[in-house]
Amino acid sequence: MEYTAGKFLPKIAKDKCKNCYSCSLVCPGIDFMPGCSGSTGDFMRCYTAYARDFSLRKKSTSGGVATKLAAALIKNREYDAAFVLDFDIFDNKPARLTAASSEEAVYKSAKSKYVPASVYNVIKTLEENKNKKYIIIATPCQLLGIKKYLQYRRREENIPLFLGLFCDKTMNFNFIRYFNDICANTGEKLIKFEYRAKEAYGYPGGLKLLFDSGRSLTLDKKLRMEIKDIFQLERCLLCTDKLNCFSDISLGDCYIENKADPCGKSSVIVRTKKGSDILDKYADLFVLEKEDMSEIIKSQSVEDKQRNMKYAMLYSLDNGLGKPDNLCREISKKSRKRLKRSLKAIRLSERYDICGIKITLFKKNLAAAMNKNLRRVKIAVILLFSAAAGLFKTKKDFNLRSLRDKKDITIGLTGGELYNKGSQAMVFTVVGQIKKTFSQCSVYLFSGLDYTRPAEQKNIYAFKIMPWNLKIKADILNPFKNKACRDPGSVKSTFKKLDFIVDISGYCLSSQFNSLNSLDYLSNIIAAKRFSIPYYIFPQSMGPFDYKFTHKLFLYPLMRLLLPYPEKIFVREAESVNTLSAFRRKNVKIKHD
């Protein structure tokens, strides 16, 4: 193996090659879509989990599940050793999985290392010790290579336990060189490199660099993420197996919404009976919460691997490994341009063209900032346009009492959610009173936070939960969209049929919060006004309105236009009445919860 372009590549002795193709038979990289094609793979059940050992959990990348399970199996002598990656810094030698035969050795190797690591020691040990039992903690490509070797050798006895790690790109060794060059002081040498240390920023962790001078430096994770695509291995562009489909148990970071924890949690997928039996036996070592596979897929953005599938088809075609067919022809020019752009960036890192890397990084960040601002401007324009259009709408005569005898009333709640106990109590109380007042009614809670809950959690309530955020509201109000918004909840059709809306925010319209919060709050009234839906604001605090001057320029006109629209604005304090007097007084009334 020779070190070149930031990685170790094989030098083939062509004069000795017998063309037996054994290397092709066991190579994991030769299969672009090795069976699971970026989807889930077979599985039995899933969990959100973490180790009860708090010190290990703090040290680990996420929840410490793989490390704790492997250490326990070795301690109880059910397995002889676990192959782990013990890596501190690149020393011009290949990084290799090594056998850890004690608890201490397994613990020492905790944490993720995003480097290309060889399975040479694994293959050699499996060949020489056929009677021993091993645990292998590996990425999808490492695991597939080992499995193909075992199949090639027709090994059926003492098959290792495979703990598969979720994986989304590995970087070449020039990645470490880059941070050494931009962060080291004169005369300093980098002696330890941690990809994800949780001490400074908590989970998911930042880059930690330790120099021979004794100085340590922790960098925000965004610095790792923004150059990840530049330093990734070329083969990672074609990978479709993020969730490690061929393992006994696969696991990785838990990114499921509302389950974040500064100490870290793991998403765990139990795939085989062997994995199931072992996890059941050692379940008391972990906190295990049953999880829906769809939540893991969504949180891990597995659908993004469909792009890699297109890259794999294009790569096969361009390198003479496949024939043109209808599928390849249908792949867009956009995909080809993206692939070309990605390969160009990777070549910069392989050559270690530091100037080219920095220029590419600058252009990437500039484009991201422009796109973000353009999206914000687009949403603001749509909201302002919709608010202005409301000037020409005649307000409908509305009598709340007349609805009591009406059948099939639909009522919307905004500003409430179920995670905060105070807000949850307000939702339950209001829904209870509505159900008493209107015998036949449907209640919808518009809450983006709660819509992400699993279906079995949402279905237990006496009301339906709908997705709701600024982007969805902009989609609903956009006059140039013919279809309902792209959200799966069919929000527009539901919203338009509401008989009236009740806002139960508690405290939101104030300069004490981000101005975007106030815009989000007012956008609810814009949407109601656009479709002539009566609007009630239940008891809450409002003000002060000491926004920045530039924010006042668009918020004050909006407030003057929108605050007269609600049928009633109930506020908790006289101070709120005074604050609102510059915008509206007639429909404002003091009322406690």
Side-chain angles (χ1 to χ4, degrees):
M1 303 295 284
E2 288 189 341
Y3 182 69
T4 180
K7 53 192 179 289
F8 288 90
L9 298 174
K11 184 179 179 182
I12 308 299
K14 293 182 180 179
D15 58 321
K16 296 181 180 180
C17 179
K18 297 179 181 179
N19 295 317
C20 67
Y21 298 104
S22 296
C23 53
S24 297
L25 291 173
V26 298
C27 175
I30 207 165
D31 299 320
F32 285 150
M33 288 162 278
C36 58
S37 301
S39 60
T40 62
D42 295 330
F43 68 97
M44 298 173 70
R45 59 186 189 274
C46 305
Y47 297 99
T48 293
Y50 57 88
R52 293 185 186 275
D53 184 340
F54 186 69
S55 60
L56 170 64
R57 187 181 171 200
K58 280 179 68 178
K59 182 185 176 184
S60 301
T61 299
S62 48
V65 176
T67 303
K68 189 64 183 178
L69 186 58
L73 288 166
I74 291 169
K75 179 185 178 182
N76 294 334
R77 298 184 180 178
E78 293 194 46
Y79 284 82
D80 296 290
F83 280 96
V84 295
L85 182 57
D86 186 8
F87 177 87
D88 283 332
I89 192 67
F90 179 53
D91 57 0
N92 297 314
K93 295 178 183 177
R96 287 175 173 166
L97 297 183
T98 54
S101 54
S102 68
E103 273 188 289
E104 294 73 22
V106 175
Y107 290 149
K108 184 175 178 290
S109 299
K111 288 187 181 294
S112 297
K113 295 99 177 177
Y114 301 101
V115 293
S118 167
V119 297
Y120 172 84
N121 289 333
V122 181
I123 300 299
K124 187 177 180 182
T125 304
L126 291 176
E127 188 71 24
E128 295 173 355
N129 301 278
K130 295 181 180 178
N131 296 322
K132 290 189 175 182
K133 296 176 70 179
Y134 296 101
I135 303 162
I136 298 173
I137 304 174
T139 61
C141 53
Q142 292 168 339
L143 190 149
L144 183 60
I146 296 163
K147 282 207 161 191
K148 290 181 78 171
Y149 155 77
L150 292 171
Q151 187 178 18
Y152 176 72
R153 289 297 194 198
R154 297 182 181 178
R155 281 275 300 274
E156 294 180 0
E157 73 286 354
N158 291 337
I159 298 297
L161 171 68
F162 290 100
L163 301 182
L165 305 173
F166 296 175
C167 186
D168 185 26
K169 304 184 186 79
T170 289
M171 280 78 84
N172 65 50
F173 290 107
N174 283 338
F175 182 85
I176 300 171
R177 179 183 173 186
Y178 173 80
F179 280 99
N180 180 65
D181 288 350
I182 66 172
C183 297
N185 293 331
T186 305
E188 277 187 335
K189 183 181 178 183
L190 189 62
I191 58 172
K192 188 172 183 180
F193 188 93
E194 291 186 24
Y195 284 81
R196 289 172 57 183
K198 294 189 283 195
E199 298 97 317
Y201 299 103
Y203 178 83
L207 283 166
K208 186 176 180 180
L209 287 67
L210 182 65
F211 299 93
D212 57 2
S213 64
R215 184 172 71 96
S216 66
L217 179 65
T218 303
L219 306 172
D220 192 281
K221 67 158 189 161
K222 69 180 182 182
L223 294 174
R224 170 174 62 88
M225 297 304 293
E226 68 184 10
I227 65 168
K228 194 175 179 182
D229 289 345
I230 299 173
F231 285 89
Q232 69 177 309
L233 302 177
E234 184 176 335
R235 181 59 179 80
C236 292
L237 275 175
L238 317 176
C239 177
T240 57
D241 183 10
K242 183 171 185 177
L243 300 183
N244 219 317
C245 297
F246 301 109
S247 59
D248 294 300
I249 300 172
S250 59
L251 62 169
D253 296 300
C254 177
Y255 292 130
I256 297 172
E257 199 166 354
N258 304 314
K259 294 198 176 176
D261 189 296
C263 293
K265 291 181 180 179
S266 301
S267 288
V268 179
I269 305 171
V270 181
R271 298 189 178 279
T272 65
K273 187 177 184 303
K274 181 197 286 188
S276 177
D277 292 344
I278 286 172
L279 190 61
D280 286 345
K281 186 173 182 179
Y282 289 92
D284 60 327
L285 298 177
F286 310 101
V287 174
L288 297 167
E289 177 189 348
K290 280 199 172 179
E291 195 56 77
D292 193 289
M293 183 60 156
S294 63
E295 291 297 316
I296 296 177
I297 292 170
K298 183 170 68 173
S299 67
Q300 293 290 333
S301 301
V302 174
E303 70 278 359
D304 290 350
K305 290 298 180 184
Q306 299 300 317
R307 182 171 59 194
N308 285 18
M309 198 179 298
K310 293 177 181 178
Y311 290 168
M313 292 174 185
L314 289 170
Y315 199 91
S316 300
L317 193 63
D318 293 346
N319 290 277
L321 302 175
K323 295 179 180 179
D325 55 23
N326 291 334
L327 196 58
C328 284
R329 290 192 191 99
E330 288 174 8
I331 296 173
S332 66
K333 291 181 180 179
K334 194 174 183 180
S335 293
R336 185 175 288 280
K337 283 182 179 178
R338 280 179 177 166
L339 176 59
K340 188 177 179 180
R341 191 163 55 243
S342 295
L343 288 170
K344 186 179 179 181
I346 289 170
R347 298 291 176 260
L348 289 173
S349 74
E350 290 177 343
R351 295 196 306 270
Y352 198 63
D353 181 349
I354 193 73
C355 183
I357 290 168
K358 288 183 177 180
I359 291 171
T360 301
L361 192 58
F362 173 77
K363 288 162 65 177
K364 181 181 176 183
N365 288 338
L366 182 63
M370 288 176 66
N371 286 337
K372 187 176 181 180
N373 287 329
L374 281 171
R375 284 196 297 271
R376 285 179 174 175
V377 168
K378 180 182 174 183
I379 289 173
V381 167
I382 291 170
L383 293 177
L384 289 169
F385 176 86
S386 299
L391 284 170
F392 306 103
K393 277 187 172 280
T394 305
K395 190 173 182 180
K396 291 180 181 178
D397 290 330
F398 178 68
N399 185 352
L400 192 60
R401 294 181 186 276
S402 66
L403 289 178
R404 292 187 183 226
D405 301 321
K406 183 183 173 184
K407 293 183 179 180
D408 301 324
I409 298 170
T410 54
I411 301 160
L413 301 183
T414 61
E417 48 99 352
L418 305 175
Y419 286 97
N420 177 283
K421 294 300 178 184
S423 181
Q424 183 193 72
M426 192 66 171
V427 172
F428 291 166
T429 303
V430 172
V431 171
Q433 292 298 315
I434 286 172
K435 294 278 185 180
K436 284 181 182 178
T437 306
F438 305 101
S439 57
Q440 294 183 346
C441 68
S442 300
V443 182
Y444 293 88
L445 174 65
F446 290 82
S447 169
L449 196 62
D450 293 292
Y451 186 73
T452 58
R453 291 171 178 267
E456 60 268 21
Q457 290 185 23
K458 292 188 287 189
N459 292 339
I460 65 173
Y461 299 113
F463 50 87
K464 294 180 181 178
I465 299 173
M466 302 297 291
W468 201 237
N469 55 41
L470 262 176
K471 184 181 180 302
I472 291 172
K473 283 178 263 190
D475 278 346
I476 289 173
L477 296 167
N478 192 340
F480 304 106
K481 278 186 177 287
N482 294 323
K483 297 180 180 179
C485 79
R486 291 187 294 268
D487 195 276
S490 302
V491 187
K492 188 171 185 177
S493 58
T494 302
F495 192 85
K496 287 175 72 175
K497 70 180 182 182
L498 296 175
D499 286 290
F500 65 90
I501 297 170
V502 178
D503 183 277
I504 53 174
S505 295
Y507 188 34
C508 189
L509 188 60
S510 169
S511 56
Q512 292 191 19
F513 305 107
N514 191 302
S515 296
L516 198 62
N517 284 41
S518 295
L519 182 62
D520 191 23
Y521 181 92
L522 293 169
S523 66
N524 294 330
I525 307 176
I526 293 173
K529 189 177 171 91
R530 172 73 179 275
F531 298 109
S532 300
I533 303 168
Y535 200 88
Y536 288 86
I537 296 177
F538 268 25
Q540 54 192 267
S541 300
M542 290 188 178
F545 300 140
D546 302 323
Y547 301 102
K548 292 179 182 178
F549 175 73
T550 51
H551 294 176
K552 285 181 180 178
L553 290 176
F554 67 89
L555 282 175
Y556 274 22
L558 274 178
M559 289 162 70
R560 285 196 175 91
L561 174 64
L562 297 170
L563 291 178
Y565 181 77
E567 303 292 323
K568 289 287 183 185
I569 299 177
F570 294 107
V571 292
R572 292 172 179 154
E573 310 92 1
E575 187 180 350
S576 294
V577 177
N578 295 331
T579 305
L580 286 169
S581 61
F583 304 96
R584 188 63 174 171
R585 186 182 288 273
K586 288 182 180 179
N587 60 347
V588 179
K589 188 174 182 180
I590 292 180
K591 202 85 172 177
H592 299 298
D593 285 351

